[in-house]
Amino acid sequence: MTAPDKPDDQSDLAVKPRSKSQRPPMYKVLLLNDDFTPMEFVVHVLERLFNMTHAQAIEIMLTVHRRGVAVVGVFSHEVAETKVAQVMELARRQQHPLQCTMEKE
């Protein structure tokens, strides 16, 4: 039996209006300068792990060298975390003190 003031197709459930989904926060991956890691190794890291062309890698490497730090990419948290770990592992295996960090954009 249906209540007289409700048509058959309505329910008692409240429908919550959809809020706009927000983009997840993005993170900058930063490469830090040191006085020991060879420039060629930094270029290799940028080409291999960040898919840069040789020219792009040289430009970023020189920015790191001159300014002490450079953004090498902007990614989701998980991807940025993975990139930092990959850089650190590759540098460690080659016995270079290269440092890589991430920070919220």
Side-chain angles (χ1 to χ4, degrees):
M1 179 177 216
T2 332
D5 57 318
K6 286 188 185 178
D8 288 337
D9 58 340
Q10 285 187 346
S11 69
D12 291 330
L13 297 175
V15 177
K16 190 175 183 179
R18 284 189 178 184
S19 61
K20 287 186 178 180
S21 57
Q22 292 181 347
R23 286 184 58 201
M26 300 298 280
Y27 291 80
K28 297 184 285 189
V29 174
L30 307 165
L31 213 51
L32 308 176
N33 188 45
D34 63 74
D35 294 331
F36 304 102
T37 303
M39 291 179 176
E40 297 81 17
F41 179 74
V42 175
V43 169
H44 170 73
V45 165
L46 293 169
E47 290 173 341
R48 181 172 170 198
L49 300 179
F50 295 91
N51 300 316
M52 292 185 184
T53 65
H54 190 69
Q56 290 170 323
I58 288 174
E59 187 178 331
I60 295 290
M61 177 274 297
L62 289 173
T63 301
V64 172
H65 181 70
R66 291 181 185 132
R67 296 188 181 163
V69 65
V71 175
V72 295
V74 179
F75 308 96
S76 67
H77 185 270
E78 294 78 15
V79 172
E81 211 171 43
T82 300
K83 294 284 187 189
V84 169
Q86 289 173 331
V87 170
M88 299 298 289
E89 176 61 20
L90 190 55
R92 185 190 64 76
R93 278 193 274 144
Q94 297 296 317
Q95 298 180 341
H96 295 303
L98 182 65
Q99 293 294 301
C100 186
T101 62
M102 62 188 261
E103 66 181 37
K104 202 170 192 176
E105 188 177 42

